[in-house]
Amino acid sequence: MNVFYEESGSFKVGSIVSRTDASLQVDTQHGKRAKLKASNVFLEFSSGLQEFLPAAEVIAADIDVDFLWECCGDDEFGFDTLAADYFGQAPSAIESAAILLKLYAAPMYFYKKAKGRFKSAPEDTLKAALAGIERKKREQEQIDALAAALAAGRLPDAIRSHLMPLLYRPDKNTLEFKAFDQASRATGLPPLRLAHKVGGIPSVPDYLMAGFQLEHFPKGFGFGHYAPATSTGELPLSEVAAFSIDDAATTEIDDALSVVWLANGNIRVGIHIAAPTLGVPVGSDIEKLVHNRLSTVYFPGDKITMLPDDVVQEFTLKQGHDCPALSLYVEVTPDFALLNFENRVERVHIAANLRHDQLEQVFNDETLAADGFGPDYAFKRELVWLWQFANAREAARGKTPDPNRPPQVDYNFNVVDGKVIITIRKRGSPMDKLVSELMILANSEWGRMLAEADIPAMYRAQSMGKVRMTTRPEPHIGLGVAQYAWSTSPLRRASDFVNQRQLVAMIRGETPQYPQGDAMLFALLRDFDAAYSAYLGFQDKMEHFWCLRWFTQQGISEPTATLIKEDLVRIDGVPLRVRIPGLPELSGGDRVKLSIIRIDELTQEIEFRFVEVISQKAATPSEAVAS
């Protein structure tokens, strides 16, 4: 005798060798000996072993499953009973097996209840299941069509509108993702390469911007509808004439300075900060924008401002205007000792917006070293004295520059009609030092005053080389100050905006918006810290791309570089540090020539090869002795 049985989800046949009540030994149709449970056997038959399954499958293929479902009724049934009803007579073993094969192959039509027993699916459930199958079939046809178009180098509109989410934040349940993934596997191209091949990434900067927008500005860069800023109220007008020092492209002018020589021989320095908080009520639409955006985003060629243009124009320290300001006045002795501080909420007349490109031509290291401090220019007396004061403040912080240390530089990026212009400015120039030292003074002293008034704020602290945000004053070792509360850029940073709220409350003797332990302040600090780091990361990524483009635009194939340490070098002309394999043994400061092997703007990769040593730094006497 032979048996028809199920094993591991498959139907098989075999010849009985021996049996017990619970099991059988059979020789399968492939000649292997197997042991199976008696409960797995559905039929016994005496007809040919090899022909049984093929014959049953042929009969099963001709059975209309819909008709079979109509035949079985609503009650539970056995497959042999259904076989008798379907064939209209006592079925043969092959016919019974064919019915069983058909029942197993249609689980949407028939629910398996026990061994050989089934129940038909309810009509509504079956219709829903069949509709689902038909829908999936149509969806797969769409997927196949989209994938075929992509593989052929075409970008269907259905994919185009979802391309950036597919590359950055894909939803794997969508038809678009399935089609894109299918095409990627079919072509052997990574998703980014495939998107570029079909014309979905005409511009790498646009691609990078799209990813940044998806992550941080999912609703777009627009500000939407918001109630305008309110009146700042009546503010006293200061008697000083202040001036700002900024880059030519700066529109958010947060800070200005003034200098007055007093009758007692001392000098009064004014540090004047734009005061948007005076016209932005607590809980207003504009404050919500500040809390949502958290900072202005800078990148080569453009920026995304924290505040709308009309609000910026309302509060920026614009030349020729009397602007609302939070002022810190410091009385300084002729030998640069700090005597006392005074805070005022007032209007300040901005006499001039001095710009780097023009000011640096007359106010620089060379002119300051000349007799009479060089040519005449606007605010010369004030600027020269402030530069001297800044040097004294730098020394007081213990940060006087080491003359033996190589000069540090800053890189400015400008993009005009797709061409990048990278200019280099020496870090620590007189005007840079002047502004930075006065801002450090204001941020540290205002932080001290808030702490003494027991009013929390957003502080920057540094210890053991790590910078972090905190709501309590802690030392900033890198700056050499006991506390440092960002307060001088309220048009550009939410931290400064929040701190200005606290400072105004302190000056006016009002209850601060954020008391000690306020959960909202902690949440804002956390969100600001994360967003600020992400924005800087985006700026670095965009600058890295434009560095790669710069090599191509300048036609540079063999750049020069300076060794930092080991195999790490700094490329000349751009803010790019890379590791170069195969460098000979060199010392920091040695200069080398490199060759560019490959630039891939899409993946932002660049590969260099060492060519030769240009020059080696002469060892200092101490280095020579050590060696």
Side-chain angles (χ1 to χ4, degrees), residues 79-97 99:
F79 77 95
D80 47 353
T81 303
L82 181 60
D85 291 342
Y86 181 83
F87 291 106
Q89 60 185 16
S92 67
I94 290 178
E95 290 172 332
S96 293
I99 292 293

Side-chain angles (χ1 to χ4, degrees), residues 305-539:
T305 58
M306 180 179 75
L307 289 168
D309 287 343
D310 62 310
V311 179
V312 170
Q313 290 305 310
E314 180 76 17
F315 296 102
T316 190
L317 302 182
K318 189 185 302 182
Q319 179 174 313
H321 290 68
D322 298 334
C323 302
L326 178 60
S327 298
L328 173 65
Y329 290 99
V330 186
E331 186 173 347
V332 183
T333 66
D335 58 355
F336 306 117
L338 308 183
L339 288 184
N340 55 65
F341 300 89
E342 180 186 1
N343 294 307
R344 296 182 195 172
V345 179
E346 60 186 359
R347 286 180 299 135
V348 174
H349 181 72
I350 306 302
N353 291 145
L354 305 179
R355 300 298 184 175
H356 288 172
D357 56 341
Q358 297 175 355
L359 179 60
E360 194 162 29
Q361 295 179 28
V362 293
F363 181 63
N364 53 53
D365 287 324
E366 288 73 22
T367 59
L368 289 169
D371 291 338
F373 302 108
D376 288 333
Y377 47 89
F379 297 98
K380 176 180 179 179
R381 185 186 183 198
E382 290 84 351
L383 288 166
V384 170
W385 186 88
L386 285 172
W387 171 69
Q388 295 169 337
F389 178 56
N391 284 317
R393 295 308 310 156
E394 184 179 56
R397 295 187 297 109
K399 301 298 176 180
T400 300
D402 181 357
N404 296 319
R405 183 181 180 184
Q408 303 296 301
V409 297
D410 289 320
Y411 297 86
N412 294 328
F413 288 75
N414 191 23
V415 179
V416 180
D417 297 328
K419 182 176 178 64
V420 62
I421 302 168
I422 303 177
T423 56
I424 301 175
R425 292 181 63 249
K426 179 182 175 182
R427 187 178 299 175
S429 67
M431 64 180 180
D432 289 344
K433 180 182 293 188
L434 184 157
V435 173
S436 64
E437 285 299 329
L438 270 293
M439 295 309 110
I440 291 172
L441 176 62
N443 287 326
S444 60
E445 290 302 323
W446 271 335
R448 175 186 60 79
M449 294 175 192
L450 286 169
E452 290 175 353
D454 196 31
I455 296 176
M458 291 191 186
Y459 292 89
R460 299 277 286 183
Q462 184 191 45
S463 59
M464 301 182 69
K466 184 177 181 181
V467 179
R468 57 191 175 82
M469 300 290 293
T470 173
T471 60
R472 291 189 175 276
E474 295 183 25
H476 193 299
I477 303 302
L479 294 176
V481 293
Q483 64 284 313
Y484 189 74
W486 260 347
S487 308
T488 53
S489 294
L491 295 175
R492 294 181 282 184
R493 290 190 300 241
S495 58
D496 304 55
F497 186 94
V498 168
N499 287 346
Q500 188 175 93
R501 279 247 194 264
Q502 303 293 80
L503 284 165
V504 171
M506 178 192 74
I507 295 167
R508 289 179 167 176
E510 299 171 348
T511 301
Q513 181 178 353
Y514 307 101
Q516 288 288 1
D518 186 77
M520 182 64 177
L521 181 61
F522 283 108
L524 283 170
L525 181 144
R526 179 197 63 227
D527 293 347
F528 170 78
D529 197 22
Y532 195 72
S533 296
Y535 295 173
L536 287 177
F538 173 67
Q539 181 179 352

